[in-house]
Amino acid sequence: MRLLLYIIQKEFKQIFRNKGMLPLLIVMPVMQLLILSNAASFDIKNIKIAIVDHDHSKMSRELQSKFSASPYFNVTSEMQTAKQADIAMQEGTIDVILEFPYQFEQNLMKDNLVHIPVRINAIDGATAGVENVYITEVIRSFSQNILMSTFHQSGNQYTLLSVEPIPSFWYNKTLNYKTYMVPGILVLLVTMLTLFLSAMNIVREKEIGTLEQINVTPIKKYQFIIGKLFPFWVIGLVVLTIGLLIAKLVFNVPIVGNIALVYLFTALYLFLVLGLGLFISNNAQTQQQAMFVAWFFMVIFILMSGLFTPIDSMPVWAQKLTLLNPIRYFVEMIRMVMLKGAGLKEIQLHLVVIVSYAFVVNVLSVLSYKKVN
Amino acid sequence: MKRFLGFVKKEFYHIFRDKRSMFILFGMPVIQIMLFGFAITNEINNVNIAILDKSNDVETKQLISKIDASRYFNIEQKLQSDTEIESVFKRGKIKLVLVFEKDFGQKLANQDQPEIQIISDATDPNVANTATNYANAIIQNYVREESDGQTKPSGIVLDSRFLYNPDMRSVYTFVPGVMTVILMLVSAMMTSISIAREKEIGTMEVLLVSPLHPFQVILGKVFPYVFLSVINAIVIVSLGVFVFGMPVKGSLLLLAAESILFIVTALSLGILISTIAQSQQTAMLISMMGLMLPVIILSGFIFPIASMPLPMQIMSNIIPAKWFIIIIKAIMLKGASFAIIWKETLILFGMTSFFILLSVKKYKIRLE
């Protein structure tokens, strides 16, 4: 036991003696959480729309002002020709081109029907779809008003069969993206930091030749490994704590559930991540190799965690693959507990998976660590 | 010159002798791009929903089967009472619950505006919002079909055309994005440890006493990696084109030239990190921790930059990947010529020069 304490002490000293290390370990994750949480949003705003008005009628101007008034659109100063607008779209300064045809007003009054061509830059398919919905909405309400008033003038009864859908958004009434993203990004930062640190650790001693010195000491294998990993476990929990404080104080993320559950889960989860790092470290020859392998898994973990893109939309084989992804469980757990107030009963499956996963990984990595090279 | 060539040759040997690293270096991006190209999409499909039908009549059954038939929804569960809603949301699988009020069919027949509650788990605002919109659209469609005679279009009809990507395939967004992220990070990481490694294993002294100018050392360090990254880029672009059907509407030569420029930008950023960092560990923390999330989030790869708050939009300008994503999409999907992307090219070029000059300046010719 005393031996173990000495090693832990040595490892801590080694980390903190390096002046540049502390800002990297604490300040960098905190800065990223503060900055990136603001950027990660699928809200589509500021759609740059060009309106080519061939009609110049009262009605076309009215419709145009509807777009200017909407918070979703930035109407670019009027373009004279469709060609001009086309070039602007090629250059990327415009997302949508609306063309009001000649005799727009006249035809609408006469036939009750007029077509408006819309061209949308669809390089980003999902964004284009949302833009189309917004445009349709503006046009629909405008044209309904006109229809209503013409019906009214002709004295016809205007009845419509209709259903009243009442949307309600639970747990996040204002659809605030930060509420959703801050806990998720925090999970990524904690995972990345601990995985990278542990993955490069033992291989570093191998590379600079100090592992042999340790191997000739009477220290036991498990003591050495625990001594190596314990400081990172502490750092992970410290970063989690600072991140939770930022989430609460800066981003006002609600903490509905019991925060102790988040800590319990994280404490166990870190065993899993550190075990993975150790496994990588044991099997790499150089820090470079360890780094690339850790990075490889990290990118897969991040992009397939359901944090940025929905898991339900993935093909079935990919959905199954995400079951191996530790980050997936952490992201789900932290959102369930913080935002929905889930209790131990709801997250017990997550806990069981993480604990068994951690057990298997750690057994494998201890077995793969050879005291004799 | 001869000395310089000798140095480059040594660096080449150094890198290519490590078979395992080579395998990792070329294998990883291939696996990643295949995986992500097939798996990742920001389309919202197969949302698991639950239904609470208090009316249970012909109309609600019709409407429910319409919803079930759509590719957006997957009816996972039928609920019996309001109290169950909370618990299914907490368990997390169900993202949306539709509640039909009592006497739905009756009210509809009497033109009484029956209510449907669309309750969503809005912890994910994007899924909640989109799924609510889809559900709404299906409901409105159903009502329109029911009220006969109203099917003739009237008013203003939109003829939407989706340029550059008519089928709105999300693969066209994700493949260029993944290509950029992989090229950027792999390149930057490779060089970020190159000089730090010499410092750490003690061979830096040898370099310092050599008659090579710092500029030559840095150039010699970058050069083999340019070669490696170009091969990587060729593999990645080929996969994009042949496996995922990405078009290359513009000039292939231009695409190649821009890719090389971007690779050099990323490599020189890595070199800059390497000259600053004391150990490989520090270098890696900066290049992996420091670059990974900013590149993924701020480059426009997943989240649209135009929708970000203004400070974030300004900040995104310093992410080289942002400019390359614009360039690569313009060339591949729009068929843009150099005249259209010269500005972005110039920015990447400026960044590269800045990184290289700063590295040469930071490169210390004495050990501390």
Side-chain angles (χ1 to χ4, degrees):
Chain A
M1 194 60 202
R2 235 186 45 206
L3 205 59
L4 187 61
L5 285 178
Y6 281 132
I7 307 165
I8 290 175
Q9 203 181 15
K10 166 199 161 261
E11 291 294 327
F12 264 117
K13 271 193 188 150
Q14 211 163 14
I15 293 171
F16 291 119
R17 211 165 35 198
N18 188 340
K19 284 190 308 281
M21 222 41 183
L22 206 55
L24 275 181
L25 297 181
I26 309 287
V27 180
M28 194 164 66
V30 166
M31 291 296 289
Q32 293 198 14
L33 186 66
L34 282 169
I35 293 172
L36 298 176
S37 302
N38 290 297
S41 158
F42 281 111
D43 277 338
I44 311 287
K45 284 183 246 159
N46 311 323
I47 302 167
K48 284 169 282 178
I49 191 166
I51 296 181
V52 186
D53 187 355
H54 297 299
D55 194 35
H56 296 290
S57 59
K58 181 164 158 279
M59 205 171 273
S60 72
R61 272 191 294 269
E62 231 170 81
L63 180 51
Q64 194 167 332
S65 72
K66 287 269 184 271
F67 279 99
S68 318
S70 154
Y72 297 115
F73 298 99
N74 281 347
V75 179
T76 324
S77 57
E78 201 180 311
M79 299 236 176
Q80 295 306 323
T81 64
K83 185 126 202 239
Q84 231 179 326
D86 279 338
I87 294 171
M89 186 177 281
Q90 263 261 302
E91 284 171 346
T93 51
I94 271 175
D95 310 314
V96 179
I97 304 171
L98 264 179
E99 254 182 280
F100 299 157
Y102 296 102
Q103 296 169 336
F104 168 72
E105 181 174 316
Q106 219 177 325
N107 289 341
L108 187 59
M109 299 317 275
K110 205 172 70 198
D111 307 333
N112 260 334
L113 179 67
V114 81
H115 287 259
I116 295 186
V118 179
R119 274 166 290 164
I120 301 175
N121 172 4
I123 282 190
D124 182 343
T127 305
V130 175
E131 288 169 351
N132 192 39
V133 170
Y134 289 165
I135 298 163
T136 312
E137 196 42 49
V138 173
I139 302 257
R140 196 188 58 83
S141 79
F142 179 77
S143 96
Q144 206 160 38
N145 281 341
I146 289 171
L147 275 182
M148 289 287 246
S149 68
T150 49
F151 265 106
H152 204 67
Q153 279 159 13
S154 60
N156 280 341
Q157 191 79 42
Y158 190 74
T159 53
L160 256 180
L161 208 50
S162 74
V163 169
E164 177 74 11
I166 306 171
S168 55
F169 300 102
W170 283 20
Y171 310 117
N172 187 358
K173 285 188 181 54
T174 52
L175 296 181
N176 182 352
Y177 238 95
K178 286 175 201 127
T179 302
Y180 178 64
M181 277 300 168
V182 171
I185 291 179
L186 177 57
V187 166
L188 295 189
L189 291 168
V190 169
T191 312
M192 276 202 292
L193 192 62
T194 44
L195 181 69
F196 292 161
L197 282 174
S198 55
M200 298 196 39
N201 200 276
I202 287 179
V203 70
R204 169 164 197 227
E205 307 241 4
K206 248 192 255 179
E207 197 169 345
I208 49 181
T210 45
L211 195 60
E212 272 162 46
Q213 289 167 21
I214 292 168
N215 282 342
V216 293
T217 63
I219 190 173
K220 297 239 171 45
K221 210 154 93 171
Y222 77 91
Q223 288 172 323
F224 174 64
I225 288 173
I226 293 174
K228 278 270 168 208
L229 298 187
F230 183 73
F232 303 145
W233 187 77
V234 173
I235 290 172
L237 287 174
V238 168
V239 170
L240 177 82
T241 307
I242 300 176
L244 286 175
L245 283 172
I246 290 176
K248 183 71 201 158
L249 300 177
V250 180
F251 294 105
N252 210 5
V253 176
I255 302 181
V256 183
N258 185 349
I259 205 74
L261 277 181
V262 176
Y263 274 96
L264 171 69
F265 185 93
T266 312
L268 297 168
Y269 172 88
L270 286 176
F271 280 119
L272 164 56
V273 176
L274 294 173
L276 278 178
L278 184 64
F279 189 71
I280 293 171
S281 204
N282 284 339
N283 290 292
Q285 293 156 329
T286 61
Q287 290 183 77
Q288 192 176 26
Q289 284 175 6
M291 165 177 90
F292 276 122
V293 173
W295 178 80
F296 172 70
F297 283 109
M298 202 59 216
V299 175
I300 293 177
F301 288 165
I302 291 180
L303 290 182
M304 300 195 67
S305 66
L307 178 61
F308 298 135
T309 62
I311 290 179
D312 289 342
S313 300
M314 292 177 186
V316 177
W317 61 265
Q319 290 189 32
K320 294 219 170 94
L321 210 59
T322 64
L323 294 176
L324 286 171
N325 183 352
I327 294 187
R328 180 203 161 141
Y329 296 98
F330 197 172
V331 167
E332 277 181 7
M333 182 284 305
I334 200 166
R335 283 175 178 161
M336 282 165 82
V337 174
M338 282 179 72
L339 308 180
K340 296 194 220 173
L344 192 58
K345 207 179 83 208
E346 279 92 5
I347 65 159
Q348 62 182 357
L349 189 68
H350 293 75
L351 273 174
V352 170
V353 172
I354 286 300
V355 170
S356 354
Y357 204 163
F359 181 75
V360 173
V361 167
N362 279 293
V363 167
L364 283 179
S365 47
V366 172
L367 290 180
S368 68
Y369 170 69
K370 292 177 198 72
K371 220 177 161 185
V372 187
N373 271 336
Chain B
M1 196 60 201
K2 223 179 98 191
R3 269 199 295 246
F4 175 65
L5 283 180
F7 179 61
V8 171
K9 209 161 125 190
K10 171 212 150 235
E11 287 293 312
F12 256 105
Y13 280 139
H14 216 73
I15 294 165
F16 287 95
R17 213 168 30 198
D18 182 357
K19 292 267 163 15
R20 208 154 145 189
S21 289
M22 284 299 100
F23 182 73
I24 296 172
L25 219 53
F26 288 118
M28 272 183 344
V30 173
I31 295 174
Q32 282 173 337
I33 202 152
M34 296 294 276
L35 192 58
F36 301 146
F38 283 115
I40 296 192
T41 165
N42 54 2
E43 288 161 17
I44 313 280
N45 293 321
N46 304 319
V47 178
N48 287 318
I49 65 171
I51 304 263
L52 174 54
D53 187 357
K54 295 177 187 166
S55 184
N56 233 332
D57 49 43
V58 188
E59 283 79 8
T60 57
K61 282 195 185 117
Q62 271 178 357
L63 188 44
I64 289 168
S65 74
K66 282 253 189 282
I67 290 165
D68 205 15
S70 106
R71 72 184 168 95
Y72 302 119
F73 297 112
N74 170 29
I75 298 183
E76 177 80 20
Q77 216 173 331
K78 295 251 161 86
L79 306 182
Q80 302 307 325
S81 75
D82 285 309
T83 50
E84 284 175 70
I85 300 174
E86 172 105 40
S87 72
V88 293
F89 276 155
K90 272 208 180 139
R91 259 175 273 137
K93 189 154 190 203
I94 302 288
K95 298 287 178 343
L96 191 91
V97 177
L98 288 176
V99 185
F100 294 89
E101 73 166 330
K102 251 175 117 176
D103 309 322
F104 183 89
Q106 193 81 42
K107 281 193 172 171
L108 192 63
N110 297 341
Q111 301 195 346
D112 251 358
Q113 281 216 350
E115 286 177 358
I116 300 178
Q117 273 183 287
I118 308 176
I119 305 172
S120 49
D121 171 355
T123 39
D124 183 342
N126 187 41
V127 171
N129 202 11
T130 315
T132 303
N133 282 336
Y134 287 156
N136 202 357
I138 295 172
I139 294 165
Q140 301 304 346
N141 257 333
Y142 169 77
V143 176
R144 207 175 311 139
E145 281 168 22
E146 283 294 284
S147 58
D148 35 25
Q150 285 284 338
T151 37
K152 202 182 118 234
S154 58
I156 302 169
V157 177
L158 274 186
D159 294 339
S160 302
R161 263 182 58 209
F162 296 96
L163 298 185
Y164 311 124
N165 178 9
D167 304 326
M168 299 201 281
R169 299 180 56 190
S170 77
V171 126
Y172 286 2
T173 320
F174 279 93
V175 171
V178 169
M179 283 161 53
T180 308
V181 168
I182 292 177
L183 270 185
M184 167 91 207
L185 289 170
V186 171
S187 308
M189 283 180 343
M190 281 191 304
T191 43
S192 73
I193 54 164
S194 61
I195 292 177
R197 184 191 169 103
E198 308 256 0
K199 289 185 202 161
E200 190 163 322
I201 47 181
T203 44
M204 196 64 193
E205 274 116 331
V206 185
L207 265 187
L208 291 179
V209 296
S210 79
L212 286 165
H213 186 267
F215 193 72
Q216 287 177 316
V217 173
I218 285 173
L219 221 60
K221 284 271 174 199
V222 173
F223 197 74
Y225 289 113
V226 174
F227 185 76
L228 272 176
S229 297
V230 167
I231 296 176
N232 241 336
I234 293 172
V235 172
I236 290 174
V237 173
S238 313
L239 283 176
V241 171
F242 295 116
V243 179
F244 297 104
M246 288 287 297
V248 184
K249 289 195 181 144
S251 145
L252 202 58
L253 204 67
L254 182 61
L255 183 66
E258 296 281 352
S259 304
I260 292 176
L261 172 61
F262 178 64
I263 286 167
V264 176
T265 313
L267 292 173
S268 52
L269 175 59
I271 286 285
L272 176 59
I273 294 171
S274 203
T275 51
I276 298 169
Q278 279 308 311
S279 66
Q280 293 187 76
Q281 202 172 20
T282 318
M284 270 173 230
L285 278 176
I286 298 176
S287 62
M288 293 167 79
M289 270 300 275
L291 292 181
M292 182 125 78
L293 279 187
V295 166
I296 291 178
I297 293 177
L298 278 179
S299 66
F301 161 41
I302 293 180
F303 301 102
I305 293 173
S307 306
M308 293 174 189
L310 193 63
M312 302 303 123
Q313 290 191 37
I314 295 170
M315 208 174 280
S316 74
N317 290 331
I318 59 168
I319 307 285
K322 168 192 170 167
W323 303 106
F324 188 61
I325 289 182
I326 296 175
I327 290 171
I328 195 172
K329 282 183 179 171
I331 297 176
M332 291 180 99
L333 299 169
K334 292 188 186 173
S337 63
F338 185 69
I340 286 182
I341 50 170
W342 66 270
K343 214 175 77 194
E344 287 79 7
T345 311
L346 200 64
I347 291 171
L348 281 184
F349 190 77
M351 286 178 167
T352 313
S353 322
F354 175 75
F355 293 147
I356 292 181
L357 285 178
L358 202 59
S359 319
V360 173
K361 208 165 156 258
K362 285 264 169 190
Y363 179 85
K364 295 201 179 66
I365 47 169
R366 282 192 179 80
L367 285 175
E368 279 167 16

